[in-house]
Amino acid sequence: MVSASRSASAAQVLVASNRGPVSYAVGEDGELTARRGGGGLVSGLSAIGDREDSLWVCSALGEGDREAVRRGVGEPGVRMLDIDADVHADAYNGIANSVLWFVHHLLYQTPLEPVFGPEFRRQWAAYETYNRAFAEALAAEAGPGAAVLVQDYHLSLVPGMLRELREDLRIGHFSHTPWAPADYFRMLPDDVAEQLLRGMLGADRLGFLTGRWADAFTECCVRVVGGTSGTRIGVHGLGADADFLRERARREDVDERLAALREQVGADRKVIVRVDRTELSKNIVRGLLAYRELLDTRPEWRERVVHVAFAYPSRQDLAVYRDYTAEVSRVASDINSAYGTDSWTPVVLHVKDDFARSLAAYRLADVALVNPIRDGMNLVAKEVPVVSDEGCALVLSREAGAYEELGEDALCVNPYDISATAEALHAGLSMPADERAERTKRLAAAATALPPARWFLDQLEAL
Ligand SMILES: O=P(O)(O)OC[C@H]1O[C@H](O[C@H]2O[C@H](CO)[C@@H](O)[C@H](O)[C@H]2O)[C@H](O)[C@@H](O)[C@@H]1O
Ligand SMILES: O=c1ccn([C@@H]2O[C@H](COP(=O)(O)OP(=O)(O)O)[C@@H](O)[C@H]2O)c(=O)[nH]1
């Protein structure tokens, strides 16, 4: 960890995102420790750090990050913005994750409904302030004619704001989420919907993970603001980083965790693996219920399979995420109480983020379960086949962006259909080893077609 030192105002390529590549924690001894930021956006953008002329502008997300900013500690080429904590909380928890995330992932269902009243308006004002802070920092840091790539729904207003401050810049925006169908998007107050779209249309070019999300965005523009007003739109299906993953997954710390997992699972048992943030859109509870149904309807699997579920903490400031986390644990322990025996624990649930252990689980999996209700891409689905030791069947939701590229060799499911998911798990567990290996090879090839470095460069060149 060093003081951020790269010359800032010379930056020719800038990335802006809420979450940055590292986050900091203050230890009991007062020392700061850095750890890799979670989630797929960070995995995808990691290649940018190799460029000398780049700057990654991100937000301080917690007390550790704020302390790092105060002490002037940081990674080279990264600038963390210490935006007022209340403004950040309203923008990130209130607007981005409680409203925009829910709209794009179709998560509002009774009794979870949007409430567009005074609190929303206060949070919306904070979202504007938050976006303006990014626009101003980018305007100050960008060299003449620089390219700025703004990331995701946290920063939808930044392209329009930045355009007003700096006409010389080339501005792109990339959405890592799905985009809501127009009828659902128009649930947002009219002025807010319009501001979001006009903010994004301030960019020269907009990127999406799949054609499906790009088309939904275009349809929203046609319905709400009359069209996309000359802004170019492109599709870039972010893939897994094969070189990084294969090397990282064979290191000693992963081997150690693999041995521990093998011991926990027990000899001669098959393993169904899932790895997610504990996130409503990932549909973890329905996944567990499908596993329960498998044990119920196909008793031949009892004692012969273990479901290894990693559900690492996410957005815990929000009550709805905390409740969901508790529900995941409750359903997992219900299954263990109902079916477990002295020698067999049907579900092994880990709720602490551990990248090395996740890679170990990828290696071990006979079946990977990826069943989101909706997901921009889902990199886990792309990473498992790359890392797998002996081939792995992939049970994949048709509502994940990854389905467009992996659909042919995965066992595809409607994520709401628990029985169909249980049947797909059975099919995965029963798949002959040679078929599984063949499919895994093809899945890995499709999953790595557009590695992160190329994904990033393509956008830069197109801009
Ligand atoms: O930053 P958090 O609030 O902790 O959330 C983590 C990230 O979640 C979302 O990731 C998405 O990006 C992936 C890569 O393109 C994609 O595969 C996945 O489907 C998306 O869910 C979010 O869009 C990011 O901004 C967050 O950092
Ligand atoms: O303990 C872990 C397990 C996984 N991941 C990474 O988190 C990302 C999850 O991305 P995905 O697109 O599947 O979903 P997101 O969380 O971004 O919605 C993947 O690249 C994983 O390798 C991680 O950072 N820590």
Side-chain angles (χ1 to χ4, degrees), residues 8 12 53 80 97 135 141 210 241 272 309 351 358 366 369 442 452:
Q12 276 305 308
D53 60 349
M80 249 186 201
N97 287 339
E141 300 281 13
T210 70
D241 188 342
I272 300 172
V351 295
S358 302
D366 295 292
L369 174 56
R442 289 193 296 265

Side-chain angles (χ1 to χ4, degrees), residues 36-41 43-44 101 245 275-277 279 281-282 312 315 352-356 358-359 362 375 377-381 383:
R36 176 196 143 100
L41 177 146
S43 302
W101 182 270
L245 287 166
V275 176
D276 310 86
R277 289 182 295 109
E279 157 64 54
S281 63
K282 304 290 182 187
Y312 55 95
R315 307 179 186 169
K352 199 169 170 301
D353 173 6
D354 179 340
F355 188 53
S358 302
L359 292 175
Y362 288 1
D375 217 333
M377 175 57 72
N378 197 296
L379 287 179
V380 171
E383 291 167 350

Side-chain angles (χ1 to χ4, degrees), residues 242-314:
D243 295 341
F244 163 73
L245 287 166
R246 291 202 176 112
E247 189 277 323
R248 182 69 190 82
R250 259 88 202 157
R251 285 201 214 152
E252 205 180 320
D253 58 343
V254 177
D255 286 339
E256 282 165 15
R257 286 162 174 80
L258 182 59
L261 275 177
R262 279 214 176 95
E263 175 136 2
Q264 212 170 1
V265 165
D268 300 327
R269 287 194 176 120
K270 298 232 176 213
V271 185
I272 300 172
V273 165
R274 74 172 308 138
V275 176
D276 310 86
R277 289 182 295 109
T278 311
E279 157 64 54
L280 288 82
S281 63
K282 304 290 182 187
N283 208 21
I284 302 169
V285 169
R286 278 197 196 84
L288 287 166
L289 295 176
Y291 177 64
R292 185 181 179 124
E293 187 168 324
L294 172 82
L295 298 179
D296 194 45
T297 56
R298 302 216 177 242
E300 67 269 26
W301 285 116
R302 293 184 199 165
E303 299 267 6
R304 290 183 50 222
V305 64
V306 172
H307 184 12
V308 171
F310 293 167
Y312 55 95
S314 181

Side-chain angles (χ1 to χ4, degrees), residues 5 65 69 77-78 91 93 126 138 234 243 258 272 275 299 333 341 344 351 369 386 405 460:
S5 60
D65 286 357
V69 176
V78 177
N93 290 322
L138 291 164
D243 295 341
L258 182 59
I272 300 172
V275 176
S333 76
T341 64
W344 173 57
V351 295
L369 174 56
V386 175
E405 290 145 282
L460 210 52

